[in-house]
Amino acid sequence: MNAEIVTVSSDVMDRRTGRVGWAVVAAYVTGEHGDPVCVEYRVRQVRRGERKFDDVVNLHRTIHAMEDHAEQGIVGEGPFDPVGIPRYVFEAASQGRLLDRARANLARGGRSTEGLSTEAKALLTPPAHKPGRPPQRSMLVKLQILQAAEKAHAAGQTLEDVAQQFHMSRSAVRDLLSWARRDASPRLFTGAGQGRRGGEMTPEARAMLSQIEGQ
């Protein structure tokens, strides 16, 4: 395989604001049959400027920095795998799972966390549970997410699938389920305990969703 790196960049708009949200850079090498093989895929949030023009400037600066990183050099020896980066890599190392893994390592006090700064430990420490404080989304969206979680469980899918559907992190979906089970009044989802698999919407939740959607 040809080890010369070719980078392709793009941007993704934030659906909530209509402004530039993320910079994306993919790095490719030439495969055994001349086909491009992706060996690196990076996403970085673009800083929000005061004006949309500032967003564009920040986007170009971000992409330039990311492309430089990909082209700085290829370390190690030997060929790249011709399959490139399969989808399950992104699923196994999603934002939520990476954060959960880091928090678990911090809780165990492993060697990988010994050099963490006070700020890093504060970032990785889960926020204290505040009963009765729901995630900051409209009731309609909360109920739609709960409905999607119920359907996902019945179909053998995971919270990661629900998170991708609503552009959330897995931990945010899990927090919503915890709130719906423990703190919402009336209770909106069956089961008990944060992170418990399964469950379904309560009759009160179904009635509430039907009422809101009918308005």
Side-chain angles (χ1 to χ4, degrees):
M1 298 177 69
N2 186 343
E4 180 181 353
I5 292 285
V6 175
T7 60
V8 178
S9 60
S10 184
D11 61 280
V12 177
M13 302 300 291
D14 189 326
R15 296 182 179 181
R16 301 166 304 164
T17 65
R19 298 176 64 168
V20 175
W22 299 270
V24 181
V25 171
Y28 297 87
V29 296
T30 303
E32 297 174 350
H33 304 289
D35 53 320
V37 175
C38 184
V39 296
E40 183 175 9
Y41 183 93
R42 305 182 71 209
V43 179
R44 181 178 296 178
Q45 189 177 107
V46 177
R47 291 182 181 273
R48 181 70 51 77
E50 294 184 1
R51 304 166 299 170
K52 288 188 176 182
F53 175 77
D54 299 325
D55 295 349
V56 176
V57 173
N58 288 340
L59 169 66
H60 287 299
R61 289 176 175 174
T62 301
I63 288 177
H64 181 71
M66 294 168 71
E67 288 178 338
D68 281 349
H69 172 87
E71 296 174 349
Q72 282 176 357
I74 304 172
V75 298
E77 298 179 357
F80 286 107
D81 193 309
V83 301
I85 307 174
R87 178 180 175 181
Y88 66 78
V89 173
F90 304 104
E91 296 172 347
S94 65
Q95 297 177 47
R97 291 184 179 180
L98 286 174
L99 189 56
D100 289 342
R101 187 180 305 167
R103 285 174 170 171
N105 288 338
L106 181 62
R108 289 196 298 267
R111 288 187 176 181
S112 60
T113 64
E114 291 178 355
L116 288 180
S117 65
T118 302
E119 291 78 7
K121 291 180 179 179
L123 174 66
L124 295 176
T125 301
H129 177 65
K130 298 181 179 179
R133 183 177 180 180
Q136 298 302 308
R137 294 176 183 268
S138 70
M139 181 55 72
L140 173 59
V141 174
K142 291 189 187 79
L143 292 169
Q144 289 173 337
I145 296 171
L146 295 178
Q147 185 181 59
E150 179 183 76
K151 292 180 179 179
H153 173 65
Q157 298 176 321
T158 67
L159 292 187
E160 190 70 33
D161 297 305
V162 180
Q164 292 179 1
Q165 180 181 345
F166 289 90
H167 307 287
M168 304 166 62
S169 67
R170 181 177 179 275
S171 60
V173 176
R174 189 177 56 191
D175 289 345
L176 175 61
L177 289 176
S178 176
W179 168 79
R181 286 166 169 155
R182 299 167 54 185
D183 302 322
S185 181
R187 191 163 65 117
L188 301 177
F189 211 77
T190 63
Q194 184 174 357
R196 176 171 175 171
R197 300 186 62 178
E200 59 184 16
M201 297 175 71
T202 63
E204 292 84 358
R206 298 183 195 283
M208 193 179 301
L209 176 60
S210 178
Q211 180 181 3
I212 296 175
E213 290 181 333
Q215 293 178 352

